[in-house]
Amino acid sequence: MLVFALGLTGDDEFYSGGSVYSMDSSLLRSISSHLDMYCPPSKRARISSPFASSGDMFEEERKPFIEVLPDECLYEIFRRLPGGQARSASACVSKHWLALLSSVRNSEICKNVSKVNESSNDVDMLSCEEGLEMECDGYLTRSLEGKKATDIRLAAIAVGLASRGGLGKLSIRGSNPVRGVTNKGLSAIAHSCPSLRVLSLWNVPYVGDEGMYEIAKECHLLEKLDLCRCPSISNKGLIAIAMNSPNLTALTIESCRNIGNESLQAIGSCCPKLQSITIKDCPHIGDQGVARLVSSTSSSLTKVKLQGLSLTDFSLAVIGHYGKALTSLIFSGLQNVTEKGFWVMGNAQGLEKLATLSITSCRGTTDVCLEAIGKGCRNLKQMSLHKCCFVSDSGLIAFAKAAGSLESLQLEECNRITQSGILGALLNCGSKVKSLALVKCMGIKDLDLEKPFLSPCESLRSLSIRSCPGFGSVSLALVGNLCPQLHHLDLSGLCGITDSGLLPLVEGCDSGLVKVNLAGCLNLTDEVVSALARLHGGTLEVLNLDGCVKVTDASLVALADHCLVLSDLNVSKCSITDTGIASLSCGEQLNLQVLSISGCNKVSNKSMPYLRKLGRTLVGLNLQQCNSISTATVDLLVESLWRCDILS
């Protein structure tokens, strides 16, 4: 080949003077006078005069001889270069060479060319790029976002990593608005990185079926594919992936308007190892595609998420019958599914392994179907209902009775659920329930109900009641009597609760509270905080009192005296002063790591020595909106507490 005939190899440094182009032009003329050879100029001379020095005004320039070669010859040279160092060095010459090098398939590189030893300081196309890391399984990962996502960068990645085992994971999020990622960039990855196992494309409008064809043709090891907002990819591209990716285990399709049922049918027929499927906001995907996919992969499919699709009762009936391996189901925004669909799914008796079920904004979710799901999914452990406006107390209690394996129940914006439903669910849940969460359930009101006998729920470890304005002290006292073994308590945003409602719960917890969030509970005072510190100081690790305006220095004194393992304390916007900070710093057994006093205007520069003392163990300190602490004091703290991250 021409390069080797000239005595050049891919290991030559372009900047070290080894090339004829870097030699003095007068020396070349001197040599050429004694030898019968042609020495063209390597570059146009930069002169200020509009006339050439030779007197010829419009002397035609001649290109360097290596650039005169047709692409076919360069292609043959490039695929014979000895090793990755030579290919990377050649790619640095020009974008044209980089494009040619990236078009060389990994299988077309001549393997019989002797490889040179590559030292640690080899010329590397990726040495100056961020985001490159070696995964624990040995595959390289690359992520491009926004303006950095261009074809040139993808080509550089392809050439630079081809000799290092290739790319294992590639994520492209967004695209350069001027030189965005196109089929050419994805083709370069496909040609050089047949080892690609994970591909994620988000918001890349210029990548279409042609790029998918190349991935399908070259990357037969593909296991995970994530397509989000890719309008140029259609059924043809995804069908090609399906037919050439037998190892595909996870597929996500979101907001891809040109992908329809044909793609899902091909995936179901050609990908027997598929375990997870997520489909969101795809207008052309309906019952035909989902039903075929689920029925064809019934032995392997474990996770299904369907959101914003035009599905009917038929799809849910198929899922209920063929979902024998399913462990996780997520439904969101399925407006055309009626009560019948959910009822049939529950009664089909096919969801024997289902452990997690989440339903959001599905109008077909009613009391009748909820009971059917509880009876049909015997191993269901986690249930989440979001914005299910037709579920009431009777359905919730019936579900709690039927779901004997239930461990976690979350209700959000289910406004027909009342205090009676919550108490009934707790009383009828099996002995395995560990977590109950209520969020923005507006139907809960503070009613003083007569309960002759309340059997405690000994298994419950976590209780979260957030932003339920009607949930007050009476409701809290009733629920608290049922939860003697709580570890985690979250009552954030409950403006109506007072000390009288929370104290019975605090005093009734026998096992010791570990994490407590009382943010936004405006009516709580030092009394309940002192009781919390006194009764649970040996186990309490995290306490959030953000916005509890009636909490004062007395609470900090109690925490300093009784808390042995408290590591995270938030007293932002509380009525604490320098005295409280001083008391906190005197806690001999206290070992705080994170402290937030944001918005505490009564804390001033006088607290600096106490904060410095606390800073011996702190890794995070929030001083934002502390108007009485000067900038100079903050600077001194930053200087002295160099291991602590200080927000101001």
Side-chain angles (χ1 to χ4, degrees):
M1 302 306 295
L2 182 58
V3 170
F4 300 108
L6 293 174
L8 302 175
T9 69
D11 299 325
D12 291 329
E13 301 280 354
F14 292 113
Y15 51 84
S16 62
S19 171
V20 295
Y21 301 133
S22 61
M23 298 174 65
D24 184 70
S25 59
S26 61
L27 179 59
L28 287 176
R29 294 191 200 95
S30 175
I31 295 174
S32 62
S33 63
H34 299 283
L35 296 175
D36 185 15
M37 63 180 290
Y38 168 61
C39 297
S42 62
K43 234 178 182 182
R44 180 174 55 188
R46 294 182 178 271
I47 55 177
S48 57
S49 171
F51 301 99
S53 59
S54 62
D56 189 355
M57 184 180 302
F58 301 105
E59 182 180 1
E60 183 180 358
E61 296 181 11
R62 297 175 179 175
K63 294 183 179 180
F65 68 90
I66 196 67
E67 294 185 11
V68 177
L69 289 175
D71 288 349
E72 292 79 2
C73 291
L74 289 174
Y75 185 89
E76 292 299 324
I77 294 172
F78 289 156
R79 76 185 193 93
R80 287 171 171 79
L81 291 177
Q85 178 187 0
R87 286 190 289 274
S88 294
S90 300
C92 291
V93 172
S94 67
K95 292 181 180 180
H96 180 61
W97 281 29
L98 173 61
L100 282 175
L101 279 160
S102 65
S103 68
V104 179
R105 289 181 168 83
N106 189 270
S107 59
E108 295 172 341
I109 297 175
C110 295
K111 305 297 182 182
N112 58 343
V113 178
S114 59
K115 293 185 178 181
V116 298
N117 294 327
E118 298 185 5
S119 61
S120 59
N121 60 349
D122 286 345
V123 177
D124 190 354
M125 288 297 297
L126 298 180
S127 60
C128 61
E129 297 190 10
E130 304 88 355
L132 187 63
E133 59 182 9
M134 183 70 72
E135 295 289 330
C136 58
D137 57 4
Y139 299 122
L140 290 166
T141 298
R142 190 67 176 96
S143 178
L144 297 180
E145 297 185 8
K147 295 181 179 180
K148 293 184 178 181
T150 63
D151 286 345
I152 295 297
R153 284 183 179 269
L154 286 179
I157 290 171
V159 174
L161 295 184
S163 62
R164 291 161 174 77
L167 201 62
K169 298 180 181 180
L170 175 63
S171 174
I172 304 175
R173 293 176 177 263
S175 186
N176 190 296
V178 179
R179 302 179 302 276
V181 173
T182 67
N183 292 321
K184 293 181 179 179
L186 205 59
S187 298
I189 293 293
H191 295 161
S192 300
C193 304
S195 60
L196 189 67
R197 283 172 164 80
V198 179
L199 176 61
S200 179
L201 302 177
W202 283 45
N203 193 20
V204 281
Y206 304 119
V207 172
D209 293 335
E210 183 181 344
M212 290 290 101
Y213 289 151
E214 293 299 326
I215 292 291
K217 183 178 180 181
E218 304 293 336
C219 305
H220 302 296
L221 301 178
L222 193 66
E223 297 176 0
K224 296 181 180 180
L225 178 62
D226 185 356
L227 303 177
C228 177
R229 286 183 286 176
C230 300
S232 299
I233 298 177
S234 69
N235 287 325
K236 295 180 180 179
L238 199 52
I239 290 173
I241 292 288
M243 296 179 65
N244 292 277
S245 305
N247 295 320
L248 192 68
T249 60
L251 175 63
T252 297
I253 310 171
E254 180 177 344
S255 301
C256 296
R257 61 173 180 260
N258 289 319
I259 293 179
N261 292 323
E262 295 85 350
S263 299
L264 296 191
Q265 292 172 350
I267 293 290
S269 301
C270 303
C271 303
K273 297 181 180 181
L274 189 69
Q275 298 176 6
S276 175
I277 179 73
T278 297
I279 310 173
K280 178 181 177 182
D281 298 331
C282 295
H284 295 298
I285 291 180
D287 290 330
Q288 188 177 3
V290 172
R292 177 65 179 274
L293 175 69
V294 173
S295 60
S296 300
T297 58
S298 60
S299 61
S300 62
L301 194 62
T302 60
K303 297 181 180 180
V304 171
K305 179 179 179 180
L306 304 174
Q307 180 174 346
L309 304 178
S310 299
L311 302 180
T312 67
D313 298 339
F314 178 73
S315 291
L316 266 68
V318 171
I319 291 173
H321 182 76
Y322 288 99
K324 301 184 184 300
L326 284 176
T327 60
S328 176
L329 264 179
I330 300 176
F331 299 132
S332 180
L334 305 183
Q335 301 299 331
N336 295 330
V337 178
T338 68
E339 177 185 81
K340 181 180 178 180
F342 285 103
W343 184 87
V344 172
M345 184 185 76
N347 284 303
Q349 303 296 321
L351 301 176
E352 299 176 354
K353 296 183 179 180
L354 188 66
T356 302
L357 176 60
S358 177
I359 303 175
T360 302
S361 300
C362 295
R363 291 180 292 182
T365 309
T366 64
D367 294 340
V368 174
C369 67
L370 199 60
E371 183 179 4
I373 290 172
K375 292 179 178 179
C377 306
R378 300 176 182 177
N379 293 307
L380 188 63
K381 295 181 179 180
Q382 298 180 7
M383 181 65 167
S384 298
L385 298 175
H386 306 263
K387 299 181 180 180
C388 295
C389 56
F390 296 113
V391 174
S392 66
D393 292 342
S394 59
L396 181 62
I397 294 173
F399 171 78
K401 290 180 179 179
S405 300
L406 191 66
E407 295 182 359
S408 175
L409 176 62
Q410 180 177 356
L411 305 174
E412 182 174 351
E413 295 188 47
C414 297
N415 296 327
R416 289 195 179 186
I417 302 296
T418 69
Q419 184 191 80
S420 298
I422 300 303
L423 293 176
L426 283 175
L427 291 172
N428 289 281
C429 275
S431 58
K432 297 181 180 180
V433 64
K434 298 178 181 179
S435 175
L436 173 64
L438 307 174
V439 183
K440 298 180 181 178
C441 293
M442 303 301 177
I444 300 177
K445 305 297 181 183
D446 234 4
L447 301 176
D448 193 1
L449 301 178
E450 292 293 335
K451 292 291 179 180
F453 177 73
L454 296 177
S455 177
C457 186
E458 299 284 349
S459 61
L460 195 67
R461 296 292 183 269
S462 175
L463 176 63
S464 177
I465 306 174
R466 307 192 306 272
S467 302
C468 298
F471 197 97
S473 295
V474 175
S475 301
L476 184 59
L478 287 173
V479 173
N481 290 331
L482 300 177
C483 313
Q485 302 296 324
L486 282 181
H487 289 164
H488 300 163
L489 178 64
D490 187 350
L491 303 177
S492 56
L494 299 187
C495 303
I497 63 172
T498 61
D499 294 349
S500 61
L502 185 55
L503 277 174
L505 189 152
V506 172
E507 294 171 351
C509 288
D510 301 328
S511 59
L513 290 168
V514 178
K515 296 181 179 180
V516 177
N517 186 356
L518 303 175
C521 298
L522 306 177
N523 294 312
L524 296 181
T525 69
D526 294 326
E527 182 182 359
V528 73
V529 178
S530 298
L532 188 63
R534 185 178 67 256
L535 298 174
H536 303 278
T539 58
L540 190 62
E541 296 178 2
V542 179
L543 177 59
N544 188 346
L545 300 171
D546 186 3
C548 297
V549 294
K550 295 184 179 181
V551 170
T552 67
D553 295 337
S555 294
L556 296 187
V557 173
L559 293 173
D561 290 341
H562 300 288
C563 292
L564 306 179
V565 293
L566 186 64
S567 61
D568 190 332
L569 176 62
N570 188 343
V571 288
S572 299
K573 296 186 284 293
C574 293
S575 300
I576 63 172
T577 67
D578 297 326
T579 303
I581 301 298
S583 301
L584 196 64
S585 67
C586 294
E588 297 180 358
Q589 299 171 330
L590 202 60
N591 191 28
L592 275 180
Q593 296 182 9
V594 178
L595 174 62
S596 178
I597 57 175
S598 172
C600 296
N601 294 324
K602 295 181 181 180
V603 177
S604 67
N605 295 332
K606 296 179 181 179
S607 292
M608 188 183 72
Y610 312 126
L611 291 174
R612 184 178 294 173
K613 184 177 180 181
L614 288 169
R616 296 173 183 173
T617 58
L618 286 178
V619 295
L621 176 61
N622 188 353
L623 301 177
Q624 290 179 319
Q625 299 177 1
C626 291
N627 299 327
S628 298
I629 298 179
S630 65
T631 303
T633 299
V634 173
D635 292 339
L636 289 175
L637 286 173
V638 171
E639 183 178 351
S640 59
L641 306 180
W642 56 272
R643 287 184 295 184
C644 180
D645 186 11
I646 299 178
L647 297 178
S648 62

